[in-house]
Amino acid sequence: MQSARLKTLHTRTLKEERQRPRLVFLDSMRGYLRSRRRAIILFFAFILILWGLNSSLTSRVFAQGKANTIRLQSQRVTLRRTGFSPTQIVRPKGPFVLIIENRSGLNQAALRIDRVGKEHVNAASLPRKRALWSSVLDLEPGQYALTEANHPDWVCSFTITAH
């Protein structure tokens, strides 16, 4: 009788021992989740604070830089298998963004902008993978030519007027 009682007591003790680690594990998980929740809340609070600071700094910088803002016009030129499109451009003096779209299929397009009868202004190399090239130009009044080095008959003429 005593051995059956000991066996039952021993079995209960083993069951309790097996359950204790689960309870300890669950308690530790609850603590971990609580601390994780706190960390997540603190993280988002930090992000919101930074976002607020950043937006206020950005608006201050934007307000200070408003007087110096220049609105640039753009001029798009497409390089095709047959040459440049358009072939002639007339623009007033002032800065503009020249955008060249490479649709030529050439492995390498070597572009040059020269002032007619005078100096070299700009050059660019466009690999086939690079479809767009752009540059801000502020050209003096006069005649300019955009050419591709390996195709001398491909020319886009720029006329920059005084006004």
Side-chain angles (χ1 to χ4, degrees), residues 73-163:
Q73 293 182 346
S74 64
Q75 183 66 55
R76 187 180 202 104
V77 177
T78 304
L79 178 59
R80 301 184 189 281
R81 292 179 188 271
T82 56
F84 291 102
S85 174
T87 57
Q88 291 186 337
I89 296 170
V90 178
R91 292 196 53 85
K93 180 182 177 351
F96 67 97
V97 179
L98 176 63
I99 302 169
I100 299 177
E101 185 179 11
N102 185 8
R103 301 275 178 171
S104 65
L106 297 172
N107 286 332
Q108 191 79 17
L111 305 175
R112 275 181 72 109
I113 301 173
D114 297 311
R115 188 162 185 176
V116 176
K118 299 200 178 177
E119 75 274 1
H120 167 72
V121 177
N122 204 341
S125 180
L126 269 84
R128 178 185 280 181
K129 292 179 183 177
R130 188 170 172 196
L132 289 175
W133 175 85
S134 64
S135 179
V136 176
L137 299 176
D138 191 7
L139 303 173
E140 293 298 317
Q143 296 287 330
Y144 296 86
L146 170 64
T147 57
E148 201 287 321
N150 299 320
H151 298 85
D153 54 325
W154 292 2
V155 180
C156 179
S157 299
F158 282 86
T159 302
I160 306 297
T161 61
H163 295 349

Side-chain angles (χ1 to χ4, degrees), residues 13-50:
T13 310
L14 283 176
K15 284 181 184 177
E16 288 172 4
E17 288 297 323
R18 286 184 198 143
Q19 288 177 353
R20 270 195 194 137
R22 282 190 217 150
L23 293 175
V24 170
F25 175 74
L26 289 176
D27 286 341
S28 67
M29 279 303 292
R30 283 185 199 121
Y32 172 74
L33 291 175
R34 277 190 214 118
S35 65
R36 187 170 177 137
R37 264 188 232 129
R38 280 188 206 120
I40 290 171
I41 290 169
L42 286 173
F43 173 76
F44 282 112
F46 182 73
I47 294 297
L48 288 173
I49 290 169
L50 283 179

